[in-house]
Every structure is written in C-alpha cells, then in structure tokens.
C-alpha cells in the first residue's frame, strides 16, 4: 500500500488494511461511497480493492475542507490553500492522485456538499464510509442523509469514533451510537477509530 506513504491524509495502516477488506465483503451487493475524499487516501485504498473485482467507488467532498483544515486551525495544510480562489481546496490534489494511479476508472469523484448530494442520490450502496465533517450538524447530516441507501447486509463504516472523549471529538461517536440504537445495524468490529456495522437483513 504505497498510497499510505505518498498521499496526504488521515488514516492509520491498520485502518487502511481494514477498509480494503470491506470492498471484498460488499462488492457483490453494490458500489461503495465515502463522504470525505480530502486528497484521496481512503478513496485510493478502496479503489485498489475495487480494481481487483471490477467494482466502483464514489467519493464525495466539497473540497473546501472541514473546520479543522481552515487557516489557523490545527490541521491546516498551507500546501492545500488555493490563493487564487482564496480558500482551502483539495480537489486538484485529489484529481492528480487519482489520475496518476492505475485505479482511475474505479474511483468516481462527486464534488459538492454531502447533504445536498444525499437529497438527490438514488443508487443503493453496498458500503458507506463516513469520514466527513466533524461538527454535530455535519455528522448527523451524513448519517441521516446517507444510511438509508445501504442495502441490507451492506456495511456502514465510520471513522474517528472515540468512545472516550479524552481521545477526540464526539460527533462521529454519537452517530455510531445512533446507528446501534436504531436497531437497523449490528456491530461487527472496531479497528482503532474505525467502527464497522452491518445493516441487518429483515
Ligand atoms: N477520507 C480522507 C479524509 C477526509 S477529511 C482520507 O482518507 O484522508 C474530511 C473531509 O470531509 C474534508 O476533505 C472536507 O472537505 C470534507 N467535508 C466536510 N464537510 C463536508 C460536507 N458537508 N460535504 C462534503 N464534504 C465535506
Ligand atoms: Mg477521519
């Protein structure tokens, strides 16, 4: 997985390995989709697995960054600031990384706000990976807007789930709890901060 060393992003090796496995578990059900492309680290991991079984992966992002990526914030990367646009912009880096890879035909970037796209989305999904904004509003929009598209038997994966508030922010953990409480999901596994649930078949 050279992607892990060459592409900017926020994934640990064990989480990345697990993400690739999720494609193999769900490709027969339907395509996968993630919220939060950033520079394509997770999308390329998913895409590499998709290439092996001729499946597709959608990656959604407005590309202007989450709160923590903005100028002056903890995770701001000045290389990703577009001075012509006067804003943070990860789209050129994403397109460069996809186009330089052998997975360019397996990854489909969808550019825009997650909630706006969800309202117009129709395609059922085998896998949904939520790794978008970390505000409560963003996390709730991602969960409520997208989880209905997961096919029964398909997987919901959520990144940055920290059961102990000392380890990090709460919204991803809150939607993970909502999914469990809904009665529609069974918990499968937790790898570092990556939570994996399966939609129950009724
Ligand atoms: N999955 C990536 C990391 C994603 S970081 C990796 O593996 O490296 C979170 C991303 O979510 C940011 O790029 C940010 O622009 C995006 N994001 C935040 N809120 C969003 C929203 N409402 N709609 C679309 N994308 C959003
Ligand atoms: Mg994350």
């Amino acid at each position: 997985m050279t992607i892990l060393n060459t592409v900017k992003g926020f994934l640990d090796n064990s989480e990345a390995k697990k993400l690739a496995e999720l494609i193999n578990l769900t490709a027969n059900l339907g395509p996968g989709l993630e919220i939060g492309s950033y520079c394509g680290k997770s999308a390329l991991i998913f895409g590499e697995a998709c290439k092996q079984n001729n499946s597709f992966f959608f990656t959604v992002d407005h590309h202007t960054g989450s709160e923590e990526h903005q100028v002056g914030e903890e995770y701001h990367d000045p290389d990703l600031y577009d001075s012509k646009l006067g804003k943070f912009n990860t789209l050129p880096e994403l397109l460069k990384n996809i186009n330089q890879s052998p997975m360019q035909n397996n990854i489909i970037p969808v550019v825009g706000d997650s909630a706006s796209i969800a309202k117009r989305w129709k395609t059922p999904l085998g896998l949904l990976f939520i790794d978008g904004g970390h505000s409560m509003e963003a996390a709730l929009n991602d969960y409520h807007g997208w989880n209905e598209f997961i096919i029964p038997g398909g997987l919901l994966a959520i990144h940055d789930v920290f059961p102990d508030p000392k380890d990090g922010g709460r919204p991803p953990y809150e939607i993970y709890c909502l999914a469990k409480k809904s009665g529609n999901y069974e918990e499968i596994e937790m790898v570092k901060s990556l939570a994996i649930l399966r939609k129950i078949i009724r």
Side-chain angles (χ1 to χ4, degrees):
M1 285 184 176
T2 50
I3 296 157
L4 284 171
N5 306 320
T6 55
V7 176
K8 289 173 190 279
F10 311 98
L11 274 185
D12 147 288
N13 287 8
S14 57
E15 294 173 336
K17 204 164 149 249
K18 183 53 68 177
L19 291 181
E21 285 173 26
L22 302 185
I23 293 294
N24 299 327
L25 293 173
T26 55
N28 62 329
L29 290 175
L33 180 144
E34 75 176 353
I35 302 146
S37 325
Y38 197 64
C39 298
K41 191 167 215 149
S42 47
L44 287 161
I45 301 280
F46 285 123
E48 202 171 41
C50 287
K51 191 173 168 60
Q52 286 160 28
N53 52 29
N54 279 320
S55 57
F56 292 90
F57 195 82
F58 296 101
T59 179
V60 173
D61 203 308
H62 51 36
H63 288 286
T64 53
S66 303
E67 288 166 357
E68 67 272 22
H69 303 134
Q70 304 308 315
V71 178
E73 299 298 327
E74 190 180 356
Y75 290 96
H76 178 65
D77 180 343
D79 294 347
L80 299 171
Y81 185 80
D82 188 329
S83 51
K84 277 195 199 133
L85 292 178
K87 55 186 176 187
F88 193 76
N89 178 18
T90 48
L91 183 58
E93 188 68 18
L94 174 80
L95 295 180
K96 184 191 83 185
N97 289 333
I98 293 177
N99 291 331
Q100 278 176 353
S101 82
M103 291 78 91
Q104 48 189 292
N105 296 325
N106 302 89
I107 303 171
I108 305 172
V110 183
V111 179
D113 170 58
S114 159
S116 312
I117 296 167
K119 279 190 201 127
R120 291 151 186 92
W121 192 259
K122 294 269 185 265
T123 308
L125 303 170
L127 167 67
L128 173 67
F129 177 47
I130 300 183
D131 192 18
H134 285 171
S135 68
M136 199 61 218
E137 189 191 359
L140 286 174
N141 282 342
D142 290 345
Y143 174 69
H144 290 302
W146 288 98
N147 95 86
E148 65 182 273
F149 293 104
I150 303 172
I151 296 165
L155 298 177
L156 167 63
I158 308 174
H159 197 227
D160 306 302
V161 169
F162 299 114
D164 185 339
K166 282 202 293 290
D167 298 329
R170 298 300 273 178
Y173 174 72
E174 298 287 347
I175 58 169
Y176 158 79
C177 293
L178 274 181
K180 285 206 298 183
K181 264 192 233 142
S182 72
N184 295 327
Y185 293 90
E186 57 179 340
E187 196 171 356
I188 301 293
E189 202 179 346
M190 185 86 127
V191 177
K192 296 236 164 150
S193 76
L194 173 68
I196 301 158
L197 303 128
R198 181 180 288 121
K199 192 174 246 186
I200 292 167
I201 304 174
R202 292 180 197 283

